[in-house]
Amino acid sequence: MTPIDRNRLIFRLMTLDDVPAIAAIEEESFTTPWTKEAFVNELTNNHFARYMVMDYEGAAIGYAGMWTIMDEAHVTNVAVREAYRGQGLGEQLMTGLMRTAVLFGARRMTLEVRVSNAVAQRLYSKLGFEPSGIRPGYYSDNMEDALIMWAELPESAEVEPSYDD
């Protein structure tokens, strides 16, 4: 784990220049990572897509994305570079994403998470997400089920991370 100074983190919108770094984070984070082309498509053709980058000392160390449709937000991806995990940065990314969703008019947020991913499920529960169903065979690499989770978002963008890992 590479300790960081949280005061030096920058959260910003993802650009096309970020795609190679984001694809590298995808590769180390997921068994079926999105391709560079998928991210380019999201940034250039999907008007519902919103992606943010967590930048530290000029390098992307994490990112999160969602689609905002009407009053709902659907989380597409959340990932932190392996060397920076275990410091609450995933929670910080999620709270930033939740704030952004509220600013875009979302009142609820949903996501899917592997049924075996207890760490992520604990984080999402901590942020107010509740299980609402199962998507059987959702993950194509091993046909694992996905747990569907939903959260009601606050009416203002006052979602704060707790930082107590």
Side-chain angles (χ1 to χ4, degrees):
M1 178 172 62
T2 305
I4 61 145
D5 176 357
R6 286 183 188 274
N7 296 319
R8 296 169 60 191
L9 284 173
I10 296 170
F11 292 85
R12 58 179 174 75
L13 293 177
M14 186 185 295
T15 68
L16 290 173
D17 290 339
D18 293 313
V19 169
I22 299 310
I25 295 170
E26 273 283 300
E27 287 285 331
E28 70 181 43
S29 300
F30 301 111
T31 56
T32 52
W34 283 21
T35 63
K36 290 178 186 176
E37 293 78 15
F39 283 106
V40 168
N41 186 59
E42 285 289 284
L43 295 175
T44 57
N45 297 321
N46 185 345
H47 301 294
F48 302 111
R50 315 276 179 248
Y51 286 84
M52 62 190 318
V53 171
M54 182 177 4
D55 190 292
Y56 186 66
E57 298 180 338
I61 64 167
Y63 76 97
M66 67 181 162
W67 298 334
T68 55
I69 304 169
M70 304 292 284
D71 64 347
E72 294 181 353
H74 185 131
V75 177
T76 56
N77 327 56
V78 179
V80 174
R81 286 216 86 117
E82 194 170 357
Y84 296 93
R85 294 181 190 157
Q87 300 180 69
L89 299 177
E91 180 177 352
Q92 200 164 353
L93 269 171
M94 278 299 297
T95 57
L97 201 63
M98 292 169 83
R99 273 191 223 106
T100 302
V102 170
L103 292 172
F104 277 95
R107 296 177 160 261
R108 297 170 21 120
M109 182 175 262
T110 188
L111 54 81
E112 291 90 9
V113 59
R114 288 180 184 269
V115 293
S116 65
N117 192 342
V119 172
Q121 289 177 38
R122 278 194 301 275
L123 168 62
Y124 301 141
S125 292
K126 182 178 179 181
L127 293 172
F129 286 83
E130 296 179 356
S132 68
I134 297 286
R135 291 198 198 283
Y138 183 78
Y139 293 97
S140 61
D141 62 329
N142 64 359
M143 300 311 293
E144 183 175 357
D145 295 347
L147 177 65
I148 304 164
M149 300 183 83
W150 282 91
E152 298 295 322
L153 297 172
E155 291 188 25
S156 67
E158 296 176 6
V159 181
E160 290 298 328
S162 64
Y163 302 126
D164 59 332
D165 295 327

